[in-house]
Amino acid sequence: MAAARRHHPPPPPAAGPRPAPRRPHFRGAGPAARAAMEERDGGFRKETVDRLLRLHFRDDKTRVNGDALRLTAELLKVFVRAAARAARQAQAEDVEKVNIEHVEKVLPQLLLDF
């Protein structure tokens, strides 16, 4: 006699769109993943930098040159990279807060990026 097959109904369709996959973050990521995240040319968009700058302008008629926007975006990218590396340094030392010593320890690495 043939074995009886059980029939399982298909799962119900998911309601709504699927959630976006979570991007890895520095804490659980390995060295290769962290390097890949830093190497991405993610930078800041010119529109974002322009809006950030305009938040602090006193005169609404102030204009920003495209070169100035690119330079400011690059400086922001370096600043964020420094902050991320300092946070990793503090984490490696099992410290809860990042302090100036952690930033000082990663400064040589930042200089080598250029």
Side-chain angles (χ1 to χ4, degrees), residues 21-39:
R22 296 180 68 191
R23 293 186 337 169
H25 59 299
F26 283 121
R27 177 168 283 173
R34 281 184 285 208
M37 281 188 262
E38 281 190 0
E39 299 269 330

Side-chain angles (χ1 to χ4, degrees), residues 7 10 19 23 32 38 52 54 66 82 84 88 100 109:
H7 176 69
R23 293 186 337 169
E38 281 190 0
L52 285 171
R54 290 188 183 284
R88 272 203 322 269
I100 193 66
Q109 296 172 7

Side-chain angles (χ1 to χ4, degrees), residues 2-10:
R5 291 186 181 168
R6 291 186 178 178
H7 176 69
H8 295 286

Side-chain angles (χ1 to χ4, degrees):
M1 271 194 162
R5 291 186 181 168
R6 291 186 178 178
H7 176 69
H8 295 286
R18 288 185 174 176
R22 296 180 68 191
R23 293 186 337 169
H25 59 299
F26 283 121
R27 177 168 283 173
R34 281 184 285 208
M37 281 188 262
E38 281 190 0
E39 299 269 330
R40 270 191 233 154
D41 191 27
F44 289 88
R45 294 189 330 228
K46 284 174 48 174
E47 296 82 19
T48 304
V49 175
D50 187 48
R51 289 179 118 190
L52 285 171
L53 290 174
R54 290 188 183 284
L55 288 174
H56 299 285
F57 289 158
R58 293 181 188 190
D59 186 4
D60 291 336
K61 295 179 183 178
T62 304
R63 297 178 63 170
V64 181
N65 184 335
D67 289 337
L69 284 175
R70 282 192 291 277
L71 177 62
T72 306
E74 186 64 27
L75 288 172
L76 284 171
K77 188 167 82 171
V78 170
F79 178 78
V80 169
R81 184 178 293 161
R85 287 184 183 178
R88 272 203 322 269
Q89 181 68 34
Q91 186 180 21
E93 295 176 8
D94 290 328
V95 178
E96 291 290 320
K97 291 186 179 181
V98 177
N99 58 38
I100 193 66
E101 286 83 22
H102 298 117
V103 177
E104 289 171 351
K105 288 179 183 178
V106 299
L107 284 177
Q109 296 172 7
L110 290 172
L111 291 175
L112 291 174
D113 287 349
F114 293 103

